[in-house]
């Protein structure tokens, strides 16, 4: 289970890739500021080390923040309107309602002392300022550490300007260069004999950390004295007689440009084309997007290895699952080169089309044994999917955006991004005026992601529009009975049964059609359970379970197990209910469905209480509270209308007594993720995958 604000974990900070060098005084100042100020912004030019300093400071101060330390990387965010979504995703908030997302984030973060690190704010500065003000106003114990090339301009902001590293022979710049040089060339060692040359290299590069790291890698091909000579000749060409010393931003650009000149022509071309990715990429994506002209797809793996050796790109992970990334400043240089080559639009289209293909592959294979892999893969590629969607939304043909946003229905619906999916689908639908299969798919997907407890009106209005569209335009896709589901969620089971339709067809072809058939069975089971028809519910759920098993499908199969469990409890078979609930929980955990995990946890309360295990049931009630907040909802629907919360809490208070009940619930709330899952699964924690 992934770390989350309300499950006792400490956040999402990544491990540091290599040793942190120097900056002792800055770290002391940041620690002091975070003790008194609510917003601290590290400012400075690109490449000066703001992000690395913030990450080091966050690690150092993590013990002071019981609510966790959470990193929000904004460099890959192209649309400022999605900044709140980026924050929600970073803090593991799966928001499935239509209330303002920022309100949900504020509620989610109200858990005690908490540090939010907003990294690389300058390109979304206005939206950052707005969101930061809202967060600080509504989350009393929140501290924010931001990095930006310019201040956010928020009242109460404390600024710390990050300067280049000190340049003396015994100072940080020399220590950093020596450490990175030793990593690049193990035989290198800083000695009294070469210290002066190293200090001269650092001075030539103005002590800018990124420039020092790029230069250190060059020792693989140049001895130290030749490296210094190369820097001197390269930099002297750009020094104006009126300006004997380069400005720092010129120094960094010149250092990157010098690395660029030392690359082969094909390495430069790949560097430029890779700049279109957001966040990162794998080898397959690079081969598809970046091949063409003199650059064959078969050459790209070797060229990536070469660019990695030169520190132009960095590699994360091992084997075929390895991914590559590029620092923002290096990516910007490549993007400018790509523009100069006149290839920007063509490469962006290839990027868009590759991720359209990925979305279609995921949809085709979603209902099968690869479901967990696709959930993980698309989550990793989220930034690239956003970029592809933005490119589709400016394409001349509106069908392109309809097709991609609609094809991603399974990502929006099952992986916790319903709010974002609604936004993209609505933008795509506003551009489209002509009917067609893409339009029908987008409407179906939009309706699918409106099945949330407080979205009944939207579900009904979309339903009416969909029926009208199908009738007027003779579209082949019938209406999906989601209005009945929304009513059932809100407790209106009788009305839901009237509105529930019997259609068994879904979007034409592909994973959507099969998913529709499975979803129809799930909704039948849901509505029957809401009406207390447990035997019929069990029959439908068993059919759903069998259909999922034939496909190797996990996500919907877990809901089948959920309804089998619910029916078992309702029929007085709590052991059967417990067994099926645990199967559902393990499956929901594997496919990253946090909302599903929370729903099953409530079901386990009922199962354990029915089995005569009141203390365990009360502890699971506490676990469920934390899981619901991790999923972005207090409960699925109104707390007072939730039978597990209302009836079983009352029953457990009576059995245990108020004091023992409260202590057991509190004990469950205080469990960490692994301990909570062991309790829920009866001690069998078989899968350590993050949720």
């Amino acid at each position: 289970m992934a770390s989350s604000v309300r499950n006792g974990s400490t956040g999402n900070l990544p491990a540091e890739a290599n040793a942190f060098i120097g900056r002792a005084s800055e770290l002391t100042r940041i620690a002091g500021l975070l003790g008194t100020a609510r917003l601290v912004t590290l400012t400075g030019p690109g490449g000066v080390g703001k992000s690395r300093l913030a990450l080091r400071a966050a690690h150092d101060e993590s013990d002071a923040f019981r609510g966790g330390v959470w990193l929000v990387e904004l460099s890959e965010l192209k649309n400022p309107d999605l900044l709140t979504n980026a924050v929600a995703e970073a803090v593991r908030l799966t928001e499935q309602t239509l209330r303002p997302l920022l309100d949900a984030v504020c509620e989610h973060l109200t858990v005690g002392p908490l540090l939010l690190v907003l990294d690389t704010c300058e390109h979304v500065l206005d939206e950052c300022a707005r969101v930061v003000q809202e967060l600080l106003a509504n989350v009393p114990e929140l501290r924010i550490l931001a990095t930006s090339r310019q201040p956010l301009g928020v009242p109460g902001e404390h600024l710390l300007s990050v300067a280049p590293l000190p340049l003396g022979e015994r100072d940080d710049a020399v220590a950093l260069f020596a450490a990175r040089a030793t990593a690049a060339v193990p035989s290198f060692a800083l000695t009294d004999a070469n210290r002066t040359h190293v200090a001269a290299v650092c001075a030539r590069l103005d002590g800018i950390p990124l420039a020092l790291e790029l230069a250190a890698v060059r020792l693989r091909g140049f001895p130290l004295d030749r490296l210094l000579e190369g820097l001197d000749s390269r930099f002297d060409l750009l020094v104006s007689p009126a300006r004997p010393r380069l400005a720092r931003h010129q120094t960094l650009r010149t250092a990157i440009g010098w690395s660029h000149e030392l690359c082969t022509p094909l390495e430069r071309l790949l560097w430029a084309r890779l700049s279109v990715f957001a966040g990162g990429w794998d080898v397959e994506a690079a081969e598809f997007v970046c091949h063409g002209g003199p650059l064959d797809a078969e050459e790209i793996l070797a060229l990536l290895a070469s660019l990695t050796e030169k520190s132009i790109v960095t590699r994360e992970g091992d084997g075929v699952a390895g991914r590559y990334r590029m620092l923002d400043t290096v990516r910007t240089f490549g993007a400018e080169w790509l523009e100069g080559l006149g290839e920007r639009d063509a490469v962006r289209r290839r990027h868009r089309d590759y991720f359209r293909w990925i979305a279609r592959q995921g949809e085709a294979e979603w209902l099968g044994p690869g479901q967990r892999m696709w959930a993980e893969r698309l989550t990793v590629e989220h930034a690239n999917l956003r970029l592809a969607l933005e490119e589709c939304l400016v394409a001349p043909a509106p069908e392109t955006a309809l097709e991609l946003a609609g094809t991603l229905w399974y990502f929006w619906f099952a992986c916790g991004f319903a709010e974002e999916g609604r936004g993209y689908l609505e933008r795509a639908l506003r551009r489209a005026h002509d009917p067609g299969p893409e339009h029908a798919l987008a409407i179906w997907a939009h309706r699918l992601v409106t099945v949330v407890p407080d979205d009944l009106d939207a579900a009904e209005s979309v339903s009416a529009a969909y029926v009208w569209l199908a009738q007027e335009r003779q579209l082949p896709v019938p209406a999906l009975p989601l209005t009945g589901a929304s009513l059932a969620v809100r407790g209106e089971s009788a009305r839901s049964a009237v509105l529930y339709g019997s259609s068994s067809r879904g979007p034409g072809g592909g994973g959507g059609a099969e998913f529709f058939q499975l979803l129809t069975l799930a909704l039948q089971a849901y509505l029957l359970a809401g009406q207390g028809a447990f035997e019929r519910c069990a029959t439908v759920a068993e059919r759903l379970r069998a259909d999922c098993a034939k496909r190797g499908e996990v996500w919907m199969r877990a809901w089948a197990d959920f309804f089998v469990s619910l029916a078992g409890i309702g029929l007085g078979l709590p052991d059967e209910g417990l067994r099926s609930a645990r199967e559902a929980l393990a499956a929901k955990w594997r496919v990253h469905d946090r909302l599903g995990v929370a729903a099953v946890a409530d079901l386990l309360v009922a199962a354990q209480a029915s089995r005569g295990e009141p203390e365990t049931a009360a502890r699971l009630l506490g676990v469920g509270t934390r899981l619901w907040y991790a999923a972005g909802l207090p409960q699925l629907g109104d707390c007072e209308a939730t039978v597990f919360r209302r009836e079983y809490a009352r029953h457990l208070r009576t059995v245990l007594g108020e004091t023992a009940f409260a202590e057991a619930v509190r004990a469950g709330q205080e469990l960490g993720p692994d301990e909570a899952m062991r309790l829920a699964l009866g001690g069998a924690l078989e899968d350590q995958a993050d949720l």
Side-chain angles (χ1 to χ4, degrees), residues 386-411:
R386 283 172 172 162
L387 191 61
L389 281 159
E390 294 294 339
E391 192 71 16
C392 288
L393 285 164
V394 298
E399 294 79 12
T400 306
L402 290 170
E403 183 259 344
L404 179 54
T407 299
L408 286 169
W409 58 264
Y410 59 99
F411 183 60

Side-chain angles (χ1 to χ4, degrees), residues 467-489:
V467 171
W468 175 86
L469 183 69
Q471 291 174 345
E472 294 296 315
R473 306 294 177 84
Q474 287 82 50
L475 292 177
V477 189
L480 180 66
L482 298 185
T483 303
S486 281
L487 286 164
V489 170

Side-chain angles (χ1 to χ4, degrees), residues 3-11 38 62-70 91-93 103-116 135-136 138-143 622 625-634 669-670:
S3 55
S4 89
V5 171
R6 299 183 182 261
N7 65 11
S9 61
T10 56
R38 300 194 62 206
S62 59
D63 288 345
F65 295 98
R66 177 173 53 83
V69 181
W70 301 88
V91 301
R92 307 293 194 260
L93 169 62
D103 291 353
V105 172
C106 290
E107 178 184 325
H108 190 63
L109 298 181
T110 308
V111 291
L114 181 144
L115 177 63
L116 196 64
L135 290 173
L136 293 176
N138 292 284
V139 188
E141 295 186 271
L142 174 66
R143 296 286 190 273
T625 300
R626 287 180 173 265
L627 289 171
W628 276 117
Y629 275 104
L633 290 169
Q669 291 175 330
E670 293 174 353

